Amino acid sequence: MITWVEFLIIALATFRLTRLMVFDKITSFIRSPFHREIEEINENGETEIYIEIKGKGIRAWIGELLSCYWCTGVWCTAFLCGLWWFWPIGAEPLLVILAIAGLAGIIESIVGKLIE
């Protein structure tokens, strides 16, 4: 069993790693072999971005995985938990950094909504 603090750290770290993999610009190079982003202007004049999955077979499967926040979250959780269980000393700094960044992102979202 894990403590509630460990659970919270893994949860926040998973949240941040998943967002990093699925949404953040800095990791677009990871998604680009599997996704094509298509920009369209809607009737309100706003730009909307759609994702088109590239390829077939394993390439399309990875593309689908990387376009789904929930799916990627499961794999990120498995990766981080496995890393923590098999190499706790090495995983701990990564988990803490991701958890703090995840919490900071949540706080920023809340503050941003309060200011609007």
Side-chain angles (χ1 to χ4, degrees), residues 19 21-22 24 26 33-34 38 49 60 65 69 73 79 82 89 91:
R19 287 200 58 83
M21 296 301 295
V22 175
D24 290 356
I26 195 168
F34 310 101
I38 300 167
I49 299 174
L65 175 74
Y69 186 80
F79 170 74
I89 292 171

Side-chain angles (χ1 to χ4, degrees), residues 1-78:
M1 280 311 253
I2 63 175
T3 68
W4 69 270
V5 172
E6 292 166 334
F7 178 84
L8 185 61
I9 288 171
I10 292 170
L12 287 168
T14 298
F15 165 74
R16 185 64 200 112
L17 182 60
T18 303
R19 287 200 58 83
L20 188 66
M21 296 301 295
V22 175
F23 297 114
D24 290 356
K25 296 270 187 221
I26 195 168
T27 55
S28 64
F29 72 95
I30 294 171
R31 296 185 301 274
S32 65
F34 310 101
H35 292 172
R36 179 177 296 112
E37 289 187 357
I38 300 167
E39 290 186 11
E40 292 184 5
I41 311 254
N42 66 20
E43 62 263 1
N44 297 329
E46 300 165 329
T47 302
E48 294 181 349
I49 299 174
Y50 297 95
I51 294 174
E52 181 179 287
I53 306 299
K54 294 179 180 178
K56 294 182 180 177
I58 191 76
R59 185 177 181 190
W61 182 80
I62 293 170
E64 289 289 339
L65 175 74
L66 290 173
S67 69
C68 173
Y69 186 80
W70 298 105
C71 303
T72 303
V74 170
W75 288 103
C76 286
T77 302

Side-chain angles (χ1 to χ4, degrees), residues 70-112:
W70 298 105
C71 303
T72 303
V74 170
W75 288 103
C76 286
T77 302
F79 170 74
L80 291 175
C81 284
L83 188 64
W84 180 62
W85 283 326
F86 292 109
W87 192 41
I89 292 171
E92 189 174 303
L94 175 64
L95 287 169
V96 170
I97 289 167
L98 287 170
I100 292 169
L103 183 58
I106 292 168
I107 293 168
E108 176 59 32
S109 294
I110 292 168
V111 170

